[in-house]
Amino acid sequence: MANEEDDPIIQEIDVFLARSLLEKLYLFQYPIRPASMTYDDVTHLSAKIKPKQQKVELEMAIDTLNPNYCRSKGEQIALNVDGTCTDETSTYSSKLMDKQTFCSSQAASNVSRYAAAVYKKGELHLTPLHGILQLRPSFTYLDKADAKHREREAANEGGDSSQDEAEDDVKQITVRFSRPETEQARQRRVQSYEFLQKRQAEEHWVHLHYYGLKDSRSEHERQYLFSQGHGLAENTELIKSPSEYLMMLMPPSVEEENDKPMAPSNVLSMAQLRTLPLADQIKILMKNVKVMPFANLMSLLGSGTDSTAVLRCIQQVAMLVQGNWVVKSDVLYPKDTSSPHSGVPAEVLCRGRDFVMWKFTQDRWVVRKEVATVTKLCPEDVKDFLEHMSVARINKGWEFMLPYDEDFVKKHPDIVQRQHMLWMGIQAKLEKVYNLLKEHLTPKKQEAQSAHPLLLSGEQRVNMAKAKVKQNYGQLEKEFQKQKAEMKSNDTSAKMDVSNIRIKEEPLSDEEPMDTSAYEGLNNGIVNGLHAEEDSTDSLNGHLPGGCIDRVAQELKAFVSSTFKKQFVLTLSELKRLFNLHLASLPPGHTLFSGISDKMLQDMVLDTGCKQILVPFPPQTAASPDELKVYALWEAGDTYDQHRQVLLEIFSKNYRVRRNVIQNQLSQECGEDLNKQEVDRVLKDCCVSYGGMWYLKGTVQS
């Protein structure tokens, strides 16, 4: 109240809205000119406009008699633009730069809040503006000067050539026949920048007449800036309350739809998002996040939001996958849209993405190649589907990005059952569309219905393994007794007291025997593969009965041979790991449990045609002794033996090698130019790539 008393109202002015020049009045903003020159002194030679684009060009005369005008510079510019000859096409007919062109651009896209005001006799008359254009100097004459210069240079270079040489100059012409344009291709072409520029250039200029400030026509037009009728009936727009009147004068700023980014997250803050209806909030969040647990969704919607209402809305825009909500395909790919990669319509994209979502309801892992084979979509579209809901794992596939939400499944069994019924309907459609085999789908389907994937701790896994061992103990014991009886019948002469059983020793080597302690539990009380019973008299530790030693050697040789034919290159550490896995897969009492030392294993590797590759590891390597011993199959009996031998010779001198070095060496040694597929085959057999370099398998040090 104190401020109002200090600032009293001294005059009230009537405001009128003039409508005579509505949608015709433009505001032109000119460049700053010297203070000594006003626009009253400027002579406008011509003006033209493109109404649809609201683009204006004005030609203004330059005062060449002004003392600030440089005449020599003006003559030089005219000479560069028009040359020495003067005709109708000349830009400067007076051989002097005596005019300048100004070209307009829109200063504001929304001018609804701007108006031109005229004050006269205590009245304020407002006329809304239809556009605000900024006029800037156009320098197209410089482009014309450059073109003239290039023409003169071309004429000078070609002046020495004769007319006959010009006639003999034959140019090759390539003729192409265009294909019929599809609807998607036409839409992309119409929306392209080049097409829009072409359409703008096709609009014809409309030439205008310029009237000066003091011209009688200008005086007449200026009268339209005043309201033609002062009656209140004709100015109903101003019969408003003060707040409505202020809102008309200064409407809130609203961005045009064309200026808005496509992604709502770019323009909506969380505060703005919460002003929208609940269904729109959920749709916007799911469209941008793609995959979300229900708990996270509730936290984003704010406190006080009814979870029942959220559950009702989320089912309209998302599907339940492993207890988490994944946005529906038709929300991401609306009708009448197409793929940005391949142009495939939205219906096909939705089917392909639904197949990926359905696969994740069956398993946590999906193979990209399988999806591409079934859906027949391009790799870019398949990659987009997988990136929406999963993470790529090297040598494994694509894993669903969120863990199984067991809490939601337990709290909302009715929602889970309803979603399961929906997925059964989607599965039936997918079977028809993609001709899926039911025998391939049924096991996964039953597995998904019977139990959901659980995360088990190490202790739980151990307890489950112990229970399984106790369950199968009786059957394993019967099999062992039967096998022991067969061994006794084959050779009853060699017997020994079981108390003398000990780990097999290798007196000729200082190496430690191979460690198989990690697999003791798998043998159920077996020592070196046999039960230690008090009345057992089976032969062990180098005193095997006749025929048993041969069987051990044959079994070990078969394992080593088959392993190297698959791997080609192995370190001793990796070979021992594979051998331990092989032992774990064998039944109790197998002959290989009789005790295999490191030396016996290495001797068998050399006996099967393998060679040790002395790789020059770096001095600072942290590899163990077993990792430093590298063995490779020297002859596999195929056409690539020579290539692999050359490759192994290279790595006997180098720890790591570049691909081009390997390819050049192979070409020199083998006397032929190998194609990329052959080189890739040899490298795949023996090497791995890391950081742009190639290493033998198992020798890469992190």
Side-chain angles (χ1 to χ4, degrees), residues 630-654:
V630 183
Y631 295 92
L633 182 62
W634 196 251
E635 292 183 357
D638 57 16
T639 57
Y640 293 97
D641 279 346
Q642 184 181 2
H643 306 94
R644 280 192 290 266
Q645 292 170 10
V646 173
L647 183 64
L648 295 174
E649 290 290 348
I650 294 174
F651 281 101
S652 65
K653 302 174 183 177
N654 304 276

mmCIF file of all heavy atoms in Angstrom, residues 630-654:
data_model
loop_
_atom_site.group_PDB
_atom_site.id
_atom_site.type_symbol
_atom_site.label_atom_id
_atom_site.label_comp_id
_atom_site.label_asym_id
_atom_site.label_seq_id
_atom_site.Cartn_x
_atom_site.Cartn_y
_atom_site.Cartn_z
ATOM 1 N N VAL A 630 53.484 -73.914 -23.489
ATOM 2 C CA VAL A 630 52.492 -73.862 -24.560
ATOM 3 C C VAL A 630 52.732 -75.031 -25.512
ATOM 4 O O VAL A 630 53.861 -75.223 -25.991
ATOM 5 C CB VAL A 630 52.569 -72.523 -25.326
ATOM 6 C CG1 VAL A 630 51.473 -72.457 -26.387
ATOM 7 C CG2 VAL A 630 52.449 -71.347 -24.367
ATOM 8 N N TYR A 631 51.691 -75.805 -25.795
ATOM 9 C CA TYR A 631 51.773 -76.947 -26.705
ATOM 10 C C TYR A 631 50.809 -76.720 -27.877
ATOM 11 O O TYR A 631 49.724 -76.147 -27.702
ATOM 12 C CB TYR A 631 51.418 -78.250 -25.982
ATOM 13 C CG TYR A 631 52.391 -78.617 -24.889
ATOM 14 C CD1 TYR A 631 52.180 -78.218 -23.572
ATOM 15 C CD2 TYR A 631 53.540 -79.356 -25.177
ATOM 16 C CE1 TYR A 631 53.069 -78.537 -22.563
ATOM 17 C CE2 TYR A 631 54.439 -79.690 -24.175
ATOM 18 C CZ TYR A 631 54.212 -79.277 -22.876
ATOM 19 O OH TYR A 631 55.094 -79.597 -21.890
ATOM 20 N N ALA A 632 51.197 -77.195 -29.033
ATOM 21 C CA ALA A 632 50.378 -77.026 -30.232
ATOM 22 C C ALA A 632 50.404 -78.300 -31.058
ATOM 23 O O ALA A 632 51.418 -79.003 -31.116
ATOM 24 C CB ALA A 632 50.876 -75.850 -31.073
ATOM 25 N N LEU A 633 49.290 -78.596 -31.691
ATOM 26 C CA LEU A 633 49.197 -79.742 -32.589
ATOM 27 C C LEU A 633 49.920 -79.400 -33.885
ATOM 28 O O LEU A 633 49.545 -78.475 -34.593
ATOM 29 C CB LEU A 633 47.724 -80.077 -32.861
ATOM 30 C CG LEU A 633 47.462 -81.290 -33.747
ATOM 31 C CD1 LEU A 633 48.015 -82.555 -33.106
ATOM 32 C CD2 LEU A 633 45.964 -81.436 -34.012
ATOM 33 N N TRP A 634 50.979 -80.161 -34.199
ATOM 34 C CA TRP A 634 51.832 -79.823 -35.340
ATOM 35 C C TRP A 634 51.219 -80.291 -36.660
ATOM 36 O O TRP A 634 51.290 -79.590 -37.664
ATOM 37 C CB TRP A 634 53.215 -80.444 -35.138
ATOM 38 C CG TRP A 634 54.266 -79.865 -36.043
ATOM 39 C CD1 TRP A 634 54.861 -80.459 -37.099
ATOM 40 C CD2 TRP A 634 54.834 -78.570 -35.952
ATOM 41 N NE1 TRP A 634 55.774 -79.622 -37.692
ATOM 42 C CE2 TRP A 634 55.784 -78.433 -36.988
ATOM 43 C CE3 TRP A 634 54.642 -77.487 -35.091
ATOM 44 C CZ2 TRP A 634 56.537 -77.277 -37.196
ATOM 45 C CZ3 TRP A 634 55.387 -76.331 -35.287
ATOM 46 C CH2 TRP A 634 56.319 -76.236 -36.337
ATOM 47 N N GLU A 635 50.625 -81.450 -36.660
ATOM 48 C CA GLU A 635 50.010 -81.966 -37.877
ATOM 49 C C GLU A 635 48.623 -82.509 -37.544
ATOM 50 O O GLU A 635 48.492 -83.441 -36.757
ATOM 51 C CB GLU A 635 50.860 -83.085 -38.504
ATOM 52 C CG GLU A 635 52.191 -82.603 -39.061
ATOM 53 C CD GLU A 635 52.967 -83.733 -39.728
ATOM 54 O OE1 GLU A 635 52.459 -84.879 -39.679
ATOM 55 O OE2 GLU A 635 54.043 -83.477 -40.285
ATOM 56 N N ALA A 636 47.613 -81.895 -38.167
ATOM 57 C CA ALA A 636 46.234 -82.338 -37.958
ATOM 58 C C ALA A 636 45.722 -83.158 -39.130
ATOM 59 O O ALA A 636 44.628 -83.724 -39.057
ATOM 60 C CB ALA A 636 45.322 -81.134 -37.743
ATOM 61 N N GLY A 637 46.493 -83.211 -40.221
ATOM 62 C CA GLY A 637 46.095 -83.995 -41.374
ATOM 63 C C GLY A 637 45.153 -83.270 -42.320
ATOM 64 O O GLY A 637 44.496 -83.926 -43.140
ATOM 65 N N ASP A 638 45.058 -81.948 -42.242
ATOM 66 C CA ASP A 638 44.206 -81.207 -43.173
ATOM 67 C C ASP A 638 45.069 -80.282 -44.024
ATOM 68 O O ASP A 638 46.301 -80.283 -43.931
ATOM 69 C CB ASP A 638 43.131 -80.418 -42.425
ATOM 70 C CG ASP A 638 43.723 -79.466 -41.399
ATOM 71 O OD1 ASP A 638 44.936 -79.181 -41.469
ATOM 72 O OD2 ASP A 638 42.973 -78.993 -40.525
ATOM 73 N N THR A 639 44.428 -79.469 -44.859
ATOM 74 C CA THR A 639 45.150 -78.612 -45.818
ATOM 75 C C THR A 639 45.801 -77.406 -45.156
ATOM 76 O O THR A 639 46.571 -76.690 -45.802
ATOM 77 C CB THR A 639 44.179 -78.121 -46.906
ATOM 78 O OG1 THR A 639 43.081 -77.435 -46.282
ATOM 79 C CG2 THR A 639 43.650 -79.290 -47.715
ATOM 80 N N TYR A 640 45.488 -77.164 -43.887
ATOM 81 C CA TYR A 640 46.010 -75.975 -43.222
ATOM 82 C C TYR A 640 47.210 -76.285 -42.325
ATOM 83 O O TYR A 640 47.628 -75.422 -41.544
ATOM 84 C CB TYR A 640 44.914 -75.305 -42.386
ATOM 85 C CG TYR A 640 43.802 -74.722 -43.224
ATOM 86 C CD1 TYR A 640 42.621 -75.442 -43.439
ATOM 87 C CD2 TYR A 640 43.917 -73.462 -43.811
ATOM 88 C CE1 TYR A 640 41.595 -74.921 -44.214
ATOM 89 C CE2 TYR A 640 42.887 -72.926 -44.581
ATOM 90 C CZ TYR A 640 41.731 -73.653 -44.779
ATOM 91 O OH TYR A 640 40.733 -73.130 -45.534
ATOM 92 N N ASP A 641 47.750 -77.514 -42.386
ATOM 93 C CA ASP A 641 48.889 -77.860 -41.534
ATOM 94 C C ASP A 641 50.076 -76.936 -41.780
ATOM 95 O O ASP A 641 50.705 -76.434 -40.833
ATOM 96 C CB ASP A 641 49.300 -79.322 -41.781
ATOM 97 C CG ASP A 641 48.414 -80.291 -41.009
ATOM 98 O OD1 ASP A 641 47.683 -79.822 -40.110
ATOM 99 O OD2 ASP A 641 48.440 -81.497 -41.300
ATOM 100 N N GLN A 642 50.435 -76.721 -43.050
ATOM 101 C CA GLN A 642 51.591 -75.872 -43.371
ATOM 102 C C GLN A 642 51.377 -74.445 -42.883
ATOM 103 O O GLN A 642 52.307 -73.819 -42.342
ATOM 104 C CB GLN A 642 51.836 -75.878 -44.884
ATOM 105 C CG GLN A 642 53.088 -75.091 -45.290
ATOM 106 C CD GLN A 642 53.297 -75.081 -46.801
ATOM 107 O OE1 GLN A 642 52.481 -75.627 -47.533
ATOM 108 N NE2 GLN A 642 54.371 -74.458 -47.243
ATOM 109 N N HIS A 643 50.162 -73.930 -43.040
ATOM 110 C CA HIS A 643 49.898 -72.558 -42.606
ATOM 111 C C HIS A 643 50.019 -72.430 -41.086
ATOM 112 O O HIS A 643 50.586 -71.456 -40.576
ATOM 113 C CB HIS A 643 48.506 -72.123 -43.054
ATOM 114 C CG HIS A 643 48.258 -72.284 -44.525
ATOM 115 N ND1 HIS A 643 47.664 -73.401 -45.057
ATOM 116 C CD2 HIS A 643 48.544 -71.482 -45.582
ATOM 117 C CE1 HIS A 643 47.568 -73.280 -46.363
ATOM 118 N NE2 HIS A 643 48.107 -72.112 -46.713
ATOM 119 N N ARG A 644 49.489 -73.447 -40.361
ATOM 120 C CA ARG A 644 49.590 -73.392 -38.903
ATOM 121 C C ARG A 644 51.037 -73.517 -38.446
ATOM 122 O O ARG A 644 51.446 -72.866 -37.465
ATOM 123 C CB ARG A 644 48.729 -74.502 -38.285
ATOM 124 C CG ARG A 644 47.252 -74.164 -38.212
ATOM 125 C CD ARG A 644 46.488 -75.153 -37.351
ATOM 126 N NE ARG A 644 46.402 -76.454 -37.990
ATOM 127 C CZ ARG A 644 45.382 -76.856 -38.751
ATOM 128 N NH1 ARG A 644 44.364 -76.048 -38.951
ATOM 129 N NH2 ARG A 644 45.369 -78.061 -39.294
ATOM 130 N N GLN A 645 51.828 -74.326 -39.129
ATOM 131 C CA GLN A 645 53.235 -74.458 -38.745
ATOM 132 C C GLN A 645 53.992 -73.155 -38.941
ATOM 133 O O GLN A 645 54.822 -72.764 -38.106
ATOM 134 C CB GLN A 645 53.874 -75.591 -39.564
ATOM 135 C CG GLN A 645 53.351 -76.978 -39.209
ATOM 136 C CD GLN A 645 53.802 -78.050 -40.177
ATOM 137 O OE1 GLN A 645 54.660 -77.798 -41.022
ATOM 138 N NE2 GLN A 645 53.220 -79.251 -40.063
ATOM 139 N N VAL A 646 53.716 -72.449 -40.042
ATOM 140 C CA VAL A 646 54.344 -71.132 -40.250
ATOM 141 C C VAL A 646 53.913 -70.168 -39.152
ATOM 142 O O VAL A 646 54.729 -69.400 -38.607
ATOM 143 C CB VAL A 646 53.976 -70.575 -41.643
ATOM 144 C CG1 VAL A 646 54.472 -69.146 -41.799
ATOM 145 C CG2 VAL A 646 54.529 -71.466 -42.740
ATOM 146 N N LEU A 647 52.637 -70.203 -38.797
ATOM 147 C CA LEU A 647 52.126 -69.324 -37.746
ATOM 148 C C LEU A 647 52.794 -69.626 -36.411
ATOM 149 O O LEU A 647 53.180 -68.698 -35.660
ATOM 150 C CB LEU A 647 50.612 -69.494 -37.641
ATOM 151 C CG LEU A 647 49.892 -68.603 -36.633
ATOM 152 C CD1 LEU A 647 50.015 -67.143 -37.021
ATOM 153 C CD2 LEU A 647 48.418 -68.998 -36.538
ATOM 154 N N LEU A 648 52.959 -70.913 -36.087
ATOM 155 C CA LEU A 648 53.594 -71.277 -34.815
ATOM 156 C C LEU A 648 55.067 -70.877 -34.797
ATOM 157 O O LEU A 648 55.605 -70.503 -33.739
ATOM 158 C CB LEU A 648 53.441 -72.783 -34.579
ATOM 159 C CG LEU A 648 51.995 -73.283 -34.396
ATOM 160 C CD1 LEU A 648 51.958 -74.801 -34.327
ATOM 161 C CD2 LEU A 648 51.383 -72.679 -33.143
ATOM 162 N N GLU A 649 55.731 -70.956 -35.946
ATOM 163 C CA GLU A 649 57.125 -70.495 -36.023
ATOM 164 C C GLU A 649 57.220 -69.000 -35.753
ATOM 165 O O GLU A 649 58.173 -68.520 -35.119
ATOM 166 C CB GLU A 649 57.704 -70.817 -37.415
ATOM 167 C CG GLU A 649 57.926 -72.296 -37.686
ATOM 168 C CD GLU A 649 59.076 -72.871 -36.864
ATOM 169 O OE1 GLU A 649 59.837 -72.078 -36.266
ATOM 170 O OE2 GLU A 649 59.195 -74.108 -36.794
ATOM 171 N N ILE A 650 56.225 -68.260 -36.234
ATOM 172 C CA ILE A 650 56.224 -66.807 -35.977
ATOM 173 C C ILE A 650 56.126 -66.537 -34.491
ATOM 174 O O ILE A 650 56.851 -65.692 -33.937
ATOM 175 C CB ILE A 650 55.045 -66.143 -36.734
ATOM 176 C CG1 ILE A 650 55.245 -66.257 -38.246
ATOM 177 C CG2 ILE A 650 54.900 -64.679 -36.329
ATOM 178 C CD1 ILE A 650 54.057 -65.760 -39.055
ATOM 179 N N PHE A 651 55.249 -67.281 -33.796
ATOM 180 C CA PHE A 651 55.063 -67.030 -32.373
ATOM 181 C C PHE A 651 56.167 -67.654 -31.523
ATOM 182 O O PHE A 651 56.224 -67.389 -30.327
ATOM 183 C CB PHE A 651 53.691 -67.538 -31.929
ATOM 184 C CG PHE A 651 52.571 -66.606 -32.274
ATOM 185 C CD1 PHE A 651 51.763 -66.849 -33.365
ATOM 186 C CD2 PHE A 651 52.348 -65.463 -31.521
ATOM 187 C CE1 PHE A 651 50.738 -65.986 -33.694
ATOM 188 C CE2 PHE A 651 51.323 -64.598 -31.833
ATOM 189 C CZ PHE A 651 50.522 -64.849 -32.926
ATOM 190 N N SER A 652 57.008 -68.480 -32.082
ATOM 191 C CA SER A 652 58.175 -68.942 -31.327
ATOM 192 C C SER A 652 59.240 -67.848 -31.245
ATOM 193 O O SER A 652 60.180 -67.966 -30.449
ATOM 194 C CB SER A 652 58.752 -70.197 -31.992
ATOM 195 O OG SER A 652 59.258 -69.885 -33.290
ATOM 196 N N LYS A 653 59.057 -66.779 -32.055
ATOM 197 C CA LYS A 653 60.010 -65.659 -32.041
ATOM 198 C C LYS A 653 59.374 -64.362 -31.545
ATOM 199 O O LYS A 653 60.085 -63.418 -31.243
ATOM 200 C CB LYS A 653 60.560 -65.432 -33.452
ATOM 201 C CG LYS A 653 61.255 -66.646 -34.046
ATOM 202 C CD LYS A 653 61.653 -66.402 -35.486
ATOM 203 C CE LYS A 653 62.280 -67.647 -36.105
ATOM 204 N NZ LYS A 653 62.604 -67.450 -37.550
ATOM 205 N N ASN A 654 58.055 -64.326 -31.495
ATOM 206 C CA ASN A 654 57.360 -63.102 -31.085
ATOM 207 C C ASN A 654 56.239 -63.453 -30.120
ATOM 208 O O ASN A 654 55.512 -64.435 -30.321
ATOM 209 C CB ASN A 654 56.756 -62.378 -32.300
ATOM 210 C CG ASN A 654 57.795 -62.053 -33.365
ATOM 211 O OD1 ASN A 654 58.478 -61.060 -33.295
ATOM 212 N ND2 ASN A 654 57.903 -62.939 -34.356
#
